[in-house]
Amino acid sequence: MKVYLKDIKEADCASDALILPLCEGDAGASLKYIGPAAGSLIKKIISSGEFEGKHNQMTLLHTSDMIRPDRILLAGLGRKKEISREKIRQAGGKAASLLAGLGLKDIALSARYLSSLGHLPSDFVEGSLLAVYKFSKYKSDKEAKGLKSMMVISRPDKHLRESIKWVTALASTVNFAKDLINTPSNDMTPGRLADVAKSLAKGKVSVRVLERKDSEREGMGAYLSVSKGSVEPPKFIVLRYNGGDGAPVALIGKSITFDSGGISIKPGEGMEKMKYDMAGGAVVLAVIRLASGYKLPLNLIGILPAAENLPGGSASKPGDIVRTINGKTVEIINTDAEGRLALADAIGYAKKLKPKAIIDIATLTGACSVALGNEAIAMMGNDDPLISRMKAAGDETYERVWQMPLYEEYGEYIKSDIADIKNTGGKTGSLVTAAYFLKEFAGEVPWVHLDIASVAWADKDRPYTLKGATGVGVRLLSTLLKEMK
């Protein structure tokens, strides 16, 4: 959907529908923009109680040639004193979904009321752009294309133009990640993920793919152990974006393109969703793509340790011991705790590149959902300033993070009798012990771990996120990096 700004009277804009955002109990504020006849109609709708302005309440009216727009959509924002950027974002998602569902093409948003409340319309636009995403690649009967354009009616200024440009780039990037995650694993193999990475290699982005023998030379025994049961060769993907000065930030995304659990096989119910176990890698690719397109002034390294985890005849077995890139040995207790094995070697590899910080993002533990439901990302790390910045970015994007502890005592949970450490300490504290395992490899480098297992996939529609891949982490990390100096 194309988004553009235009300074025009609402009553004069040619569109299939004009969106009027309104707060509860404050409906008269926008009526002056649409002329007396349409304003009178809206007053009747409000006085009748059919529209109250409650959050995400939507009421569609046909204008019957009173004004140029064919329809008016009243979009409720809720109580004025409770308004927030997220509530505006959600209202944008609800409005766009409703209008797209009607088969409309060209819509307009009256931004003047939002501006009077001290809010930029970009949040409403962002919700709208995210809500109209569709994944229909594998449908025989393709759905008709959705909304074509959104005119934002406002006096344009530099700040407003920049904010619209940013959320448009963000939404496009989120949708890029969703496409990768939603693609089934017979098509989204480690090799295909490497091809996607190579397609980003232009301008200030370079890509190197380490094959199995390259990873063996690097000593990445933990990562390589994950793919032993699969005929698909592992691909250790390294991207570099050189957009500024100074040491790079390393972004590491778990990239298990299908996770059966290996020999410690998962239950069959719901296993089809395990194509999303590469969501962290998709996020990293998407963020590198945005950084390049938006020309963010910093240096980044993206690392995707891509592999399949399957129970073939040569698969790793519980009780096996593997050696990691830094020489530390790991006893494999459970082959379904494979993500941390891949990430451990990826973190070790990243440290060799002298980054100023390491951020890993992964669908790492089922315990994340038990702890936080489907509402937040579990965050752990060793650097308070980086953690604080991540919290701020989470609040801004509503991709919220919740910090969990990394007490020294958790190290006792993953001590092995016959190796340096083991890859799981059991169910007790499993969310944090998984992160503590990674902490053993991060060492003193500023590091934050994001467990997105509870939020990377949605089982029901939300105001601007449909069922399936959510792309969570793209907006969070992009916003964090945009603010980094």
Side-chain angles (χ1 to χ4, degrees), residues 223-484:
Y223 157 64
L224 289 172
S225 72
V226 177
S227 66
K228 287 176 64 178
S230 172
V231 297
E232 292 288 343
K235 305 285 182 180
F236 193 90
I237 305 162
V238 183
L239 303 93
R240 285 178 178 266
Y241 166 69
N242 295 309
D245 299 319
V249 176
L251 305 176
I252 301 173
K254 180 183 174 184
S255 302
I256 306 303
T257 57
F258 189 80
D259 180 21
S260 71
I263 296 296
S264 307
I265 197 162
K266 294 176 181 290
E269 184 178 355
M271 195 191 287
E272 74 281 356
K273 297 175 188 174
M274 287 301 101
K275 63 181 182 178
Y276 92 105
D277 214 22
M278 41 66 70
V283 169
V284 171
L285 287 178
V287 172
I288 295 286
R289 179 178 181 262
L290 181 139
S292 175
Y294 212 82
K295 296 180 172 59
L296 292 184
L298 77 169
N299 295 329
L300 297 174
I301 296 168
I303 299 177
L304 286 72
E308 278 189 344
N309 185 25
L310 295 177
S314 59
S316 295
K317 304 170 292 296
D320 287 357
I321 294 177
V322 294
R323 189 175 298 275
T324 63
I325 194 170
N326 68 0
K328 197 181 291 285
T329 56
V330 179
E331 181 186 8
I332 299 174
I333 301 298
N334 188 324
T335 62
D336 194 24
E338 86 298 331
R340 66 203 72 178
L341 297 174
L343 292 175
D345 277 335
I347 291 171
Y349 185 91
K351 285 176 67 176
K352 292 184 176 183
L353 303 179
K354 307 296 183 186
K356 66 179 178 182
I358 296 173
I359 300 168
D360 77 77
I361 180 165
T363 49
L364 203 64
T365 67
C368 187
S369 299
V370 175
L372 300 175
N374 303 118
E375 309 306 326
I377 299 166
M379 175 178 65
M380 287 143 276
N382 63 7
D383 186 78
D384 288 340
L386 183 57
I387 286 170
S388 295
R389 296 174 90 164
M390 194 73 75
K391 286 178 179 176
D395 290 342
E396 182 174 342
T397 60
Y398 212 68
E399 294 192 340
R400 297 167 294 180
V401 297
W402 189 258
Q403 186 179 1
M404 302 294 284
L406 282 180
Y407 302 135
E408 287 185 11
E409 288 82 356
Y410 290 128
E412 296 294 323
Y413 291 46
I414 56 172
K415 277 190 173 179
S416 168
D417 293 334
I418 55 174
D420 295 324
I421 54 176
K422 55 187 178 181
N423 76 329
T424 177
K427 291 183 178 180
T428 303
S430 57
L431 169 61
V432 287
T433 56
Y436 201 94
F437 181 93
L438 299 180
K439 179 177 179 287
E440 294 283 319
F441 296 87
E444 300 302 316
V445 178
W447 160 76
V448 163
H449 162 64
L450 301 172
D451 191 337
I452 58 171
S454 62
V455 288
W457 190 268
D459 289 321
K460 63 179 181 179
D461 291 343
R462 294 199 177 197
Y464 56 82
T465 304
L466 299 179
K467 288 188 287 186
T470 64
V472 73
V474 173
R475 293 164 55 240
L476 172 68
L477 292 181
S478 298
T479 300
L480 172 82
L481 295 171
K482 187 169 179 272
E483 301 301 321
M484 274 191 169

